[in-house]
Amino acid sequence: MKIKDIVCSAGKTGFFFDDQKAIKSGAKMDGNVYIGKPMTEGFKAVRQAGESISVIFILEDGEIAYGDCAAVQYSGAGGRDPLFLASDFIPIIEREIKPLFVGKEIGTFKEMSKIVDDMSIGEKRLHTAIRYGITQALLDTVAKAHRKIPAQIIAAEYGTTISNTPIPIFSQSGDERYSGADAMILKAAAVLPHALINNVETKLGANGEKLAEYVAWLSKRIRDVSHEPSYNPVLHIDVYGTFGIAFDNDMERITDYIGSLEGAAKPFHLRIEGPIDTGEREGTMLALRNIRQKLEQKGIDVEIVADEWCNTYEDIVYFTDNKAGHMAQIKTPDLGGINNSIEAVLYCKANNMGAYLGGTCNETERSGQICAHIAMATSPAQVLAKPGMGVNEGFMIVYNEMQRILALKGVL
């Protein structure tokens, strides 16, 4: 079967583009906006509307397959590609991608995704967001051509088995870390609440006291609110390098503070994402490796999650091989083609690193659905509820898609 045509439509994402550098430097929130001057190239404001591009493949039998190009909330930070605006990139897709596939026979997902993911214009690779959305559409195209669901295509081409149970969902709250936590508890989210601790003064506290208070509140709130006696979620807090800022990158102080958080979280297991961001890959890797070693030496049962500077498949391999943390976030838009996300999950699992199939609130319902198929076909430790920070919507999208996969995998 051949691909008859490819068309694009500009879209909005489930959240915003935020200038992380400006926020870390003290930009203040006023309602749902940040007050201050942007500091990252391409930004016109510290917070601006997230944008996406739907790439729609029309097959010769009339079937329609599609994926969504999207970039992370903190575009341009931590070594990532720059701001992704639809008006800038639709012409590139139409000029460079469309001729590669229109009129061509549909091959395997691996073959076609490699064409896009390896592609360069001049000496520069395609923006990660383009590679992300095009490969989603290619996976859906192969699935439609074979009358299968995407998870079945992944399982067949990568030699995996589709999970018989849903993958644990990690739900994120944004700044609504109190009311959002209640929604997660009522939905029985397996991992919660992210909490968006991205500022020392307002969210962490100069000595970490504000986060410690929140973790203690969260542990008690779960026990008070949940109606399910067996509910035992993991507490996963993303701190955006603020531990390093507050404690002057002093590893002893950082690990001792993490130990205090372990106590505040009990009886629940705790994960801390991104405790240090040194501003470059090597330093961040070494810091996370050091923290993991010190936690294990001190018998502190808290997992460290790598995020910033662990962006590409190659980065994930590097952090995994160096035991830089206990878990790696596979931030799907940052890896470009979803083929890389698939392979990253499998690499982490094969090398005793926790695999967190993540992404960003700044995606779309389509990328959330496709990532649910990746999760069910590769069985990471957890998958992110996305898009958005509203809890219910992102959780619903990922949960319901996994339930559809379970219902369909035995009858197709």
Side-chain angles (χ1 to χ4, degrees), residues 167-169 191 271 327 345 349 354-357 379-383:
I167 304 304
I169 296 176
V191 188
R271 293 187 183 126
M327 173 179 278
V345 172
K349 290 176 62 180
Y356 157 28
L357 187 68
S379 297
Q382 63 188 47
V383 60

Side-chain angles (χ1 to χ4, degrees), residues 7 37 40 49 63 77 136 149 169 229 238 266 311 313 330:
V7 297
K37 292 183 179 181
T40 300
E63 284 277 12
Q136 291 172 40
I149 57 175
I169 296 176
D238 192 347
K266 285 183 177 180
N311 299 329
Y313 173 78
I330 299 160

